């Protein structure tokens, strides 16, 4: 697979996670973390189920990936997420040294990668990410717009 095909494939996997969230009444956001072309972590939002503000898909995927790799540094990974990360998730992405983030739909209310702030590309931090936006944006956006009629 070429890089664009990989992005489409792995974003489709993140969408499967988002669909799991929607099926249990959660905001449909899903994430996967890929290491050496293999998914090592999958997660979807669980804030309503857990009544825990930090159970965002990205944070749970990061936590699991750290366990799999055995390090808090997630170097050589790519995080695929269906919605532009919020400030909390962007901070975790920076802290875990994820080098690349691919996301679907923009989040005009809380997105801190491109919409409100550019946290993942702020040179004042000790880490920056390569960001690819808009992968399957129509599909990921429709998940959210269908959930919030």
């Amino acid at each position: 697979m070429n890089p664009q095909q990989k992005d489409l494939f792995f974003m489709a996997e993140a969408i499967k996670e988002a669909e799991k969230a929607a099926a249990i009444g959660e905001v449909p956001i899903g994430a996967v973390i890929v290491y050496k072309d293999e998914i090592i972590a999958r997660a979807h939002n669980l804030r309503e189920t857990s009544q825990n503000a930090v159970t965002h898909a990205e944070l749970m995927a990061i936590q699991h990936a750290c366990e799999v790799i055995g390090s808090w540094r997630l170097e050589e990974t790519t995080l695929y997420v269906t919605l532009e990360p919020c400030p909390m998730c962007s901070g975790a992405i920076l802290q875990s040294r994820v080098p690349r983030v691919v996301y679907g739909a923009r989040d005009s209310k809380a997105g801190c990668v491109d919409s409100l702030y550019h946290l993942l590309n702020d040179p004042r931090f000790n880490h920056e990410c390569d960001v690819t936006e808009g992968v399957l944006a129509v599909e990921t956006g429709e998940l959210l717009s269908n959930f919030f009629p």
Side-chain angles (χ1 to χ4, degrees), residues 126-149:
N126 64 341
H127 177 73
E128 292 181 58
C129 299
D130 177 38
V131 175
T132 302
E133 71 162 303
V135 175
L136 297 178
V138 171
E139 294 84 348
T140 57
E142 284 177 354
L143 280 170
L144 290 159
S145 60
N146 291 339
F147 186 80
F148 296 107

Side-chain angles (χ1 to χ4, degrees), residues 99-121:
R100 182 166 184 250
V101 173
V102 179
Y103 72 88
R106 277 195 174 200
D107 184 353
S108 62
K109 294 181 180 179
C112 286
V113 177
D114 288 307
S115 295
L116 300 176
Y117 296 99
H118 299 277
L119 293 180
L120 299 186
N121 296 114

Side-chain angles (χ1 to χ4, degrees), residues 47-63:
R47 280 196 317 177
E48 296 301 325
T49 302
S50 68
Q51 288 299 299
N52 184 331
V54 301
T55 53
H56 286 206
E58 301 97 316
L59 294 182
M60 293 186 304
I62 287 169
Q63 183 176 4

Side-chain angles (χ1 to χ4, degrees), residues 56-73:
H56 286 206
E58 301 97 316
L59 294 182
M60 293 186 304
I62 287 169
Q63 183 176 4
H64 185 66
C66 289
E67 292 168 4
V68 169
I69 290 179
S71 174
W72 62 269
R73 292 177 187 91

Side-chain angles (χ1 to χ4, degrees), residues 11-70:
M11 185 60 73
E13 292 297 309
I15 287 172
K16 289 178 185 175
E17 289 298 314
E19 290 168 341
K20 290 178 188 176
I24 59 171
E26 293 282 348
V27 176
I29 301 170
V32 298
I33 295 181
V34 175
Y35 176 71
K36 296 184 178 180
D37 292 332
E38 275 190 50
I39 295 173
I40 61 166
R42 299 173 168 270
H44 53 273
N45 269 16
L46 287 173
R47 280 196 317 177
E48 296 301 325
T49 302
S50 68
Q51 288 299 299
N52 184 331
V54 301
T55 53
H56 286 206
E58 301 97 316
L59 294 182
M60 293 186 304
I62 287 169
Q63 183 176 4
H64 185 66
C66 289
E67 292 168 4
V68 169
I69 290 179

